[in-house]
Amino acid sequence: MTAAALPIVRTVSALRQATQPWRRAGETIGLVPTMGALHAGHLALVERSVRECARSVATIFVNPKQFDRQEDLKKYPRGEARDARLLAENACNLLFAPDVEEMYPAGFSSSVAVTGVSDVLDGVHRPGHFTGVTTVVCKLLLQALPDRAYFGEKDFQQLTVVKRMARDLDIPVEIVPVPTVREADGLALSSRNVHLTPEQRAVAPLLHRVMQEIAAELADGETPASLLIPEGQMRLGTAGFTKIDYLALHAADDLAPLARVDRPARLFAAAWLGTTRLIDNIPVQPRS
Ligand code: PAF
C-alpha cells in the first residue's frame, strides 16, 4: 500500500494553522529539523518522533547562515519530492519547507549565539557555523512549538549547542538525542557522503575504525591522548585523508578538551577526503 501524500506547508502562518488544532487537542508534537537529502539517519529521527509523539513535523531548509563555504552550500544535495515521499512512508504528518525569504525576510538582523560549547572543534574550523545553526533552530522551535525536537548524535557538538540554547533561553522543548546510524562498514551516514568518489568511499570507513581503536586505548587510561592522537592522524593521512581538521578528546557534557578519560568523554574527528569533509564522534567511558 502506498503512503498518502504528505501535506507540505511553506509559510510560518500555514505551519501554525496546521499545528494549532493538534496543540489545542492536547496532542504531543515532535519536530525533526533537517536540510533534506534524507537518509536512514534522518529516518531514525522521524521514527523516534513518530513513536513518542502523537504528531510529527519534519522541516527541510538548507540554511544559508550555517554554511561557512559558498561552494558547500551550492553543491548541497537537494530533492524535495523524494524526501517528501520518504517522510510520508515513515508516517510523518507534515513537512515545513520554507524558502530563504520566509525564514530571513528583508531586514532580518537577529542572531542567537551560544558561547563556550560553540567555540571548540567545528566552532574553530567553521567560523559562524553554530550561530547559523542556533539562529535557525531557535526560529524553527518558536515557529512549530514542539514538545520534543530530535537531533542526531552524529552532530554531537550541534546537539550539545542546541541543548544549551534551549536550556539557557527557557525554550519549552525536550531536545532528544538519537544515536548515529552507520553503514555496515562503520561509515556514519551523512548527506555529504554522495560526493565521495568510489576510491574515497573505500577509504572513508577507516575514520571510524581508527577512532574506535584510539577510544579503546584511551579508555584503558594507560596512554595519554597526546600520544595516541598524532599516531591516528598519521594513519589517516597515509591512507589518503587529505586534511585532518581535528581528532580530539573532549568531555561529553561541556565539550572541554581532555588529556585523559577521567570523566565521560567523546572522541571527535573531522577529516577531508578531497573536497568532502567527514565528521564523526564516539563515546569513551572511563574504566572504573
Ligand atoms: O543538522 C542539520 O541538518 C542542520 O544543522 C539543522 C539542525 C537542520 C539546522 O539547519
Side-chain angles (χ1 to χ4, degrees), residues 122-271:
D122 265 6
V124 175
H125 291 272
R126 302 187 63 190
H129 168 68
F130 284 118
T131 300
V133 169
T134 39
T135 300
V136 82
V137 171
C138 185
K139 280 176 68 76
L140 291 169
L141 292 174
L142 296 174
Q143 290 162 347
L145 298 174
D147 298 280
R148 301 193 184 99
Y150 295 81
F151 291 85
E153 286 184 344
K154 150 87 171 19
D155 296 294
F156 194 87
Q157 187 175 13
Q158 168 174 282
L159 167 68
T160 307
V161 169
V162 166
K163 265 197 212 156
R164 186 64 62 94
M165 172 190 75
R167 189 201 73 176
D168 288 356
L169 300 183
D170 302 310
I171 301 175
V173 65
E174 182 191 345
I175 303 297
V176 183
V178 178
T180 303
V181 179
R182 298 182 182 280
E183 302 281 6
D185 58 15
L187 176 65
L189 296 196
S190 163
S191 303
R192 290 182 174 87
N193 291 354
V194 296
H195 298 312
L196 295 170
T197 64
E199 294 73 26
Q200 291 168 341
R201 176 64 188 82
V203 172
L206 188 72
L207 183 62
H208 181 237
R209 211 174 316 138
V210 166
M211 291 174 75
Q212 278 181 309
E213 288 168 17
I214 296 176
E217 292 204 52
L218 283 168
D220 280 344
E222 309 243 308
T223 322
S226 58
L227 284 184
L228 293 168
I229 283 174
E231 201 185 296
Q233 284 172 322
M234 214 154 66
R235 280 181 63 194
L236 293 172
T238 309
F241 280 86
T242 39
K243 190 165 107 171
I244 293 147
D245 282 349
Y246 53 80
L247 178 60
L249 183 71
H250 286 249
D253 53 0
D254 61 3
L255 304 186
L258 295 181
R260 283 183 185 278
V261 184
D262 47 17
R263 52 184 166 134
R266 284 191 97 92
L267 186 63
F268 291 86

Side-chain angles (χ1 to χ4, degrees), residues 32-36 42 45 59-63 66-67 76 104 129 132-134 136-137 140 150-152 155 158 162 191-192:
V32 180
T34 82
M35 295 204 297
H42 298 110
L45 307 180
T59 73
I60 295 180
F61 178 61
V62 183
N63 174 30
Q66 70 186 77
F67 285 81
Y76 200 83
Y104 302 123
H129 168 68
V133 169
T134 39
V136 82
V137 171
L140 291 169
Y150 295 81
F151 291 85
D155 296 294
Q158 168 174 282
V162 166
S191 303
R192 290 182 174 87

